[in-house]
Amino acid sequence: MIEASVIASPILGVVFCLLHVIVSLVHTWSHLVHQIQCLIISSGLLSKYQNINLNRLRHLAVVIDSEDAKNKSKVHQLLCWLSDIGVKYVILYDIEGVMKKSDKAYEKSSANPSETKCMDFAPNMPLIFDMFGMTVEIISYTDGKEAVAKGANYLCSNYLKNQDDTLNKLGPKFTEPDISSALKAVGHDGPEPDLLLVYGPARCHLGFPAWRLRYTEIVHMGPLSSMKLSAVVKVLYDFSKKHQNYGK
Amino acid sequence: MSTISERFSILQSHLEKNCKSKISKISGYVGFIMRKLLFSVLSVGPIPAHVAIIMDGNRRFAKRHSLLQDSIDPASGHRLGFRSLISTIQYSFEMGVKCVTVYAFSIDNFKRSPQEVQLLMDLMREKIEEMSAEDGVFQALHVKINFWGNLELLTEPTRLSAKRAMDTTVHNKGPELSVCVAYTSTNEITHAIEASVSELKGKDQVQVSDLERNLYSAGCVEPDIIIRTSGETRLSNFLLWQSDFTHLQNPKPLWPEFSLRHLVWAVLEYQRVYAYLKNKKEGIEKNK
């Protein structure tokens, strides 16, 4: 029995590696196809990518891996592209709050610093400023679950203030609009993004505020270091063609 | 050449005869052995503890294969989807997955026509009773069945079936199947806030841990993978709170087309990003 497992383990290991080689080959092929599509888009041969209808894209979110987010010039470049395309509201998110600490860098690197109005950095609050005519909101992990807890405490204090014997017997009853109002009262009332781009090794939202993700389309873009304008254009074009049932 | 719908009718009646022939028993056994070998290979790497699934595409499948026209059963797409569900759950548990969560019916789905909602309620009740039957495969695997959602919104027969299934399996120590019905994540969070506020005594403050303790999913590990079939890229208000470090996958096949090879592929994809997501999760937990 022991001898069988000694023989079987390396064989299983070899087959396991083979399976993963196949997965890697499929990924390489998909990446190649994607690169060719990006090349065609950036050549301008396809007119449909020249004027994208952004009416349905009111708010765009970008989740960036915190290690990638340390590359301020890349983040700034991405914001410039989004502004040029015509995006009006961008929510930048990284889990560790690296971009919150870097907001002054975006101000300094802007072509016209007077176009950028920054608020003071507060680690547990969203940061909102204007850049190239586009509103930029920067959030991090503390703007998610902890914000909901803050909202819960706000609702609790109101509930206790409005104590009524009849109501108390039934216990607190809140609706989703109540939660939204509470989040607004505690300063965490950012809009729900229509589209969320993930820059990093995996398609994962890394703690983006749950209350704002209900119907958000989530697209994985790969590492920030290899970001391409044509890839962003393609995603925005695909989004403009999307149809949602909202459960119907 | 038979149409797709004719083939499915033949398959359905064949399965309903309970496969008592020798050949089908042998092929079933061979299939089991092959799966065991395959899962042994996959187990060289990390196996997800919790897989969550948004079963999207039943109606599109029925439309695509003209099942609605050929069949007198307007729920044919959902019935085929149920078969995919049973096989996916079985394979997941054979692989070593400890929890499977499925998004069966959203609160938003109540917006559908009353006829379709009633049809889905009846189908759910029928399938809940099938799943929790004493001689069913789930009881054989000691599966514990949970229902997450605002169950008060369900029709009474469906709600009672769900409660019976939970009561019947509450002591089972095997894998867990959680079925989200009359569920949305925002409704779950609202419910958790209500429960946390009602627990507060005097000067205490609601903490994130209080909210997590009052979620429907309390006690269950967070999902490692969320699979949404039919290529759609949104979560549609499913497990938003629990999915901070979850690998989100959106394979193109419609739900009735989802099979063992798609599940295996999902696990292989998860294994590629496991180390990264584990590192991120540990980083946040260290800072708490």
Side-chain angles (χ1 to χ4, degrees):
Chain A
M1 198 67 172
I2 297 167
E3 287 169 353
S5 66
V6 164
I7 296 165
S9 293
I11 296 173
L12 291 177
V14 165
V15 178
F16 176 80
C17 291
L18 203 65
L19 281 178
H20 275 281
V21 163
I22 294 169
V23 176
S24 298
L25 286 173
V26 170
H27 274 268
T28 305
W29 173 254
S30 301
H31 181 71
L32 201 66
V33 167
H34 182 71
Q35 293 299 310
I36 293 169
Q37 284 174 331
C38 288
L39 210 64
I40 294 170
I41 291 169
S42 55
S43 69
L45 286 171
L46 296 173
S47 57
K48 65 181 182 179
Y49 292 107
Q50 303 306 313
N51 293 304
I52 304 170
N53 184 348
L54 291 180
N55 288 343
R56 286 185 52 232
L57 183 69
R58 290 157 300 170
H59 310 100
L60 173 72
V62 184
V63 168
I64 302 179
D65 176 69
S66 294
E67 284 306 306
D68 287 358
K70 290 174 184 170
N71 190 336
K72 299 181 190 90
S73 59
K74 279 283 184 189
V75 178
H76 185 258
Q77 174 74 78
L78 180 63
L79 288 174
C80 293
W81 286 346
L82 294 174
S83 172
D84 289 344
I85 291 170
V87 176
K88 293 295 171 209
Y89 195 111
V90 173
I91 305 151
L92 290 181
Y93 173 91
D94 80 277
I95 194 168
E96 292 170 23
V98 166
M99 289 189 286
K100 268 187 187 174
K101 296 168 197 164
S102 308
D103 69 292
K104 299 286 183 202
Y106 305 131
E107 182 187 14
K108 285 176 188 160
S109 60
S110 164
N112 186 354
S114 64
E115 287 183 356
T116 311
K117 297 158 212 168
C118 290
M119 290 170 64
D120 290 328
F121 166 63
N124 295 334
M125 296 298 291
L127 202 62
I128 303 177
F129 56 91
D130 290 331
M131 188 172 169
F132 308 125
M134 182 174 70
T135 305
V136 180
E137 178 188 351
I138 305 185
I139 54 174
S140 65
Y141 192 73
T142 52
D143 298 300
K145 293 174 178 175
E146 288 177 28
V148 174
K150 278 191 222 170
N153 287 313
Y154 174 85
L155 285 169
C156 181
S157 60
N158 282 355
Y159 168 72
L160 294 172
K161 268 186 223 163
N162 298 327
Q163 275 190 9
D164 176 277
D165 279 348
T166 318
L167 282 175
N168 258 350
K169 282 173 193 161
L170 299 172
K173 283 282 169 218
F174 304 126
T175 62
E176 290 182 32
D178 291 336
I179 312 300
S180 298
S181 302
L183 288 171
K184 186 174 182 178
V186 297
H188 291 276
D189 65 332
E192 290 183 43
D194 305 292
L195 176 63
L196 187 149
L197 309 181
V198 179
Y199 282 98
R203 184 166 173 259
C204 175
H205 64 73
L206 295 177
F208 191 92
W211 198 259
R212 297 166 71 173
L213 267 182
R214 290 182 306 159
Y215 305 110
T216 305
E217 304 286 347
I218 302 171
V219 179
H220 184 217
M221 304 296 287
L224 190 71
S225 53
S226 52
M227 69 177 192
K228 285 185 167 51
L229 171 59
S230 47
V232 176
V233 166
K234 183 178 185 309
V235 168
L236 294 182
Y237 175 80
D238 292 341
F239 173 79
S240 69
K241 299 294 170 200
K242 206 85 165 168
H243 169 71
Q244 280 205 27
N245 284 338
Y246 296 101
K248 282 194 198 152
Chain B
M1 185 121 161
S2 58
T3 63
I4 297 277
S5 56
E6 282 168 7
R7 271 183 258 154
F8 277 109
S9 298
I10 292 164
L11 179 66
Q12 191 171 358
S13 52
H14 172 74
L15 287 170
E16 278 163 11
K17 279 174 196 164
N18 230 355
C19 290
K20 289 211 161 92
S21 69
K22 224 179 210 177
I23 292 172
S24 56
K25 273 186 183 165
I26 292 169
S27 65
Y29 189 66
V30 167
F32 177 73
I33 296 293
M34 297 296 290
R35 286 199 304 274
K36 218 163 154 55
L37 283 170
L38 176 60
F39 297 153
S40 300
V41 170
L42 287 179
S43 301
V44 173
I47 296 292
H50 183 176
V51 174
I53 304 168
I54 303 175
M55 304 178 290
D56 196 5
N58 290 334
R59 291 186 298 177
R60 261 170 288 175
F61 183 87
K63 204 172 169 183
R64 201 181 279 181
H65 297 287
S66 308
L67 290 175
L68 291 172
Q69 289 148 17
D70 293 352
S71 170
I72 56 169
D73 181 6
S76 47
H78 296 294
R79 288 187 189 282
L80 287 167
F82 182 73
R83 288 192 191 284
S84 281
L85 172 64
I86 295 303
S87 51
T88 301
I89 292 170
Q90 184 182 335
Y91 300 151
S92 301
F93 291 157
E94 283 179 14
M95 197 190 298
V97 174
K98 296 194 175 40
C99 306
V100 172
T101 300
V102 296
Y103 202 7
F105 194 88
S106 162
I107 291 176
D108 293 332
N109 293 149
F110 281 109
K111 293 179 207 163
R112 295 183 181 180
S113 68
Q115 296 85 349
E116 187 176 352
V117 171
Q118 187 58 49
L119 204 70
L120 288 169
M121 288 289 138
D122 293 340
L123 184 64
M124 265 196 289
R125 183 178 45 77
E126 180 192 319
K127 295 309 174 189
I128 289 168
E129 282 164 11
E130 215 174 285
M131 285 195 305
S132 54
E134 281 295 326
D135 56 349
V137 66
F138 285 176
Q139 283 289 31
L141 288 171
H142 304 290
V143 173
K144 184 179 174 192
I145 303 176
N146 306 309
F147 286 90
W148 296 348
N150 190 347
L151 303 186
E152 297 304 315
L153 297 176
L154 299 175
T155 56
E156 197 177 341
T158 310
R159 187 174 64 251
L160 290 174
S161 292
K163 189 171 182 314
R164 261 195 308 270
M166 286 194 282
D167 291 341
T168 310
T169 61
V170 69
H171 298 297
N172 286 356
K173 300 286 179 216
E176 284 191 33
L177 169 65
S178 301
V179 184
C180 293
V181 288
Y183 173 94
T184 60
S185 211
T186 44
N187 181 266
E188 180 183 25
I189 294 168
T190 305
H191 168 264
I193 291 174
E194 277 176 357
S196 302
V197 167
S198 66
E199 282 174 356
L200 280 187
K201 293 178 180 31
K203 54 180 171 27
D204 295 339
Q205 295 259 292
V206 173
Q207 307 290 338
V208 170
S209 53
D210 298 321
L211 296 173
E212 291 188 332
R213 190 166 33 76
N214 285 302
L215 292 173
Y216 297 133
S217 61
C220 187
V221 294
E222 289 172 349
D224 297 297
I225 311 175
I226 294 180
I227 299 170
R228 179 171 186 152
T229 50
S230 72
E232 297 295 339
T233 56
R234 57 194 175 274
L235 289 173
S236 293
N237 220 337
F238 180 58
L239 300 182
L240 303 178
W241 183 281
Q242 296 88 339
S243 55
D244 286 356
F245 304 104
T246 302
H247 190 219
L248 308 176
Q249 300 184 12
N250 58 324
K252 293 222 175 352
L254 303 176
W255 177 244
E257 297 165 342
F258 192 83
S259 62
L260 176 62
R261 63 187 175 91
H262 301 112
L263 180 66
V264 168
W265 192 263
V267 173
L268 288 168
E269 291 278 21
Y270 163 75
Q271 289 177 338
R272 282 168 62 90
V273 299
Y274 169 78
Y276 168 74
L277 292 174
K278 186 175 174 225
N279 178 265
K280 286 292 157 192
K281 187 172 181 178
E282 285 170 356
I284 281 295
E285 280 167 5
K286 216 182 279 179
N287 292 336
K288 275 188 186 167

